[in-house]
C-alpha cells in the first residue's frame, strides 16, 4: 500500500487489492485470534495542502476462538468509510521515502483497534459446563469468567 507522491500531483490515486497478514504483521498477535486471510482494501488517496487524505474501505476476516467455550468462529472486521489524514508538515508528520509513503502502518494500527478484545461466539455464550474451564470458574469462587481473565491478560500485555 505505497503511494507515490509524484503520481499524486496529477490526480487522486486509487489503491485496490489485498495485503497479506504477513505484510501487515498481524498474523499471531493474539492466541484466540488468527489472521489467515488477506486484508482487502479499496482506498482513494487525495493530496491536500498539508498532507494526504486516505479514504475507503477495509475488510478482514478473523479466525477467532471463543474465550468461553473455545469454539472456532469467523469474525468479519469491516471498516467502511475509513479515513486517515497523514500530515506532510509539522510535528508527527509523515516522512516520504523516495517520494513514496507506505500506508501499511496506519492501516495496521486502525485494524488492530477493531480486533475484538475477548471474542465470543455469541454474546450470550456461557461456556461449556463440566469442562475444566467451567470447573475452575466454580472452584475459584471469585466470580471471574473466562472473558474477564482474558481481558486482564490483554491489559497486562498493554502494560508491556
Ligand atoms: Zn462460545
Amino acid at each position: 500500500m505505497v503511494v507515490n507522491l509524484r503520481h499524486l500531483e496529477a490526480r487522486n490515486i486509487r489503491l485496490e487489492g489485498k495485503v497479506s497478514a504477513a505484510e501487515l504483521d498481524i498474523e499471531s498477535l493474539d492466541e484466540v485470534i488468527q489472521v489467515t486471510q488477506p486484508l482487502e482494501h479499496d482506498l482513494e488517496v487525495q493530496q491536500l495542502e498539508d498532507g494526504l487524505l486516505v479514504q475507503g474501505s477495509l475488510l478482514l476476516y478473523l479466525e477467532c476462538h471463543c474465550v468461553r467455550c473455545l469454539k472456532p468462529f469467523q469474525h468479519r472486521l469491516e471498516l467502511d468509510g475509513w479515513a486517515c489524514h497523514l500530515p506532510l508538515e509539522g510535528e508527527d508528520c509523515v516522512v516520504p521515502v523516495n517520494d513514496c509513503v507506505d500506508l501499511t502502518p496506519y492501516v495496521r494500527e486502525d485494524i488492530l483497534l477493531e480486533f475484538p478484545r475477548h471474542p465470543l461466539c455469541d454474546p450470550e455464550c456461557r461456556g461449556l459446563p463440566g469442562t475444566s474451564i467451567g470447573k475452575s470458574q466454580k472452584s475459584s469462587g471469585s466470580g471471574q469468567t473466562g472473558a474477564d481473565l482474558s481481558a486482564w491478560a490483554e491489559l497486562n500485555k498493554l502494560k508491556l
Side-chain angles (χ1 to χ4, degrees):
M1 279 183 280
V2 174
V3 177
N4 188 315
L5 297 182
R6 293 199 179 181
H7 297 170
L8 201 54
E9 281 168 12
R11 56 186 162 79
N12 294 352
I13 291 177
R14 180 106 181 260
L15 291 174
E16 200 179 359
K18 295 180 179 182
V19 182
S20 72
E23 278 178 80
L24 279 170
D25 191 23
I26 54 171
E27 283 170 296
S28 51
L29 294 169
D30 195 312
E31 52 194 13
V32 291
I33 302 173
Q34 299 291 320
V35 187
T36 56
Q37 298 190 40
L39 167 83
E40 291 178 42
H41 62 277
D42 183 358
L43 303 171
E44 177 154 309
V45 188
Q46 193 183 342
Q47 181 148 35
L48 303 179
E49 270 181 40
D50 60 344
L52 303 178
L53 180 64
V54 187
Q55 295 180 90
S57 60
L58 303 168
L59 176 64
L60 180 66
Y61 287 98
L62 306 176
E63 305 298 329
C64 298
H65 279 88
C66 176
V67 294
R68 288 186 195 159
C69 71
L70 303 179
K71 190 170 93 178
F73 70 101
Q74 198 172 57
H75 179 87
R76 181 186 161 98
L77 195 169
E78 185 169 22
L79 297 179
D80 210 6
W82 180 71
C84 178
H85 178 249
L86 304 176
L88 290 172
E89 294 168 13
E91 270 184 65
D92 301 323
C93 71
V94 175
V95 181
V97 178
N98 296 328
D99 288 328
C100 290
V101 172
D102 187 3
L103 302 179
T104 311
Y106 309 101
V107 168
R108 178 182 191 270
E109 199 173 305
D110 282 10
I111 283 286
L112 287 180
L113 288 175
E114 296 299 318
F115 269 39
R117 289 290 166 265
H118 36 90
L120 293 175
C121 62
D122 184 291
E124 301 292 310
C125 176
R126 293 178 170 274
L128 293 172
T131 63
S132 59
I133 298 170
K135 277 174 193 163
S136 69
Q137 274 176 28
K138 273 176 203 162
S139 62
S140 74
S142 64
Q144 271 188 326
T145 64
D148 289 330
L149 292 171
S150 169
W152 282 113
E154 285 298 319
L155 285 173
N156 285 333
K157 278 186 211 164
L158 287 176
K159 279 175 197 158
L160 294 170

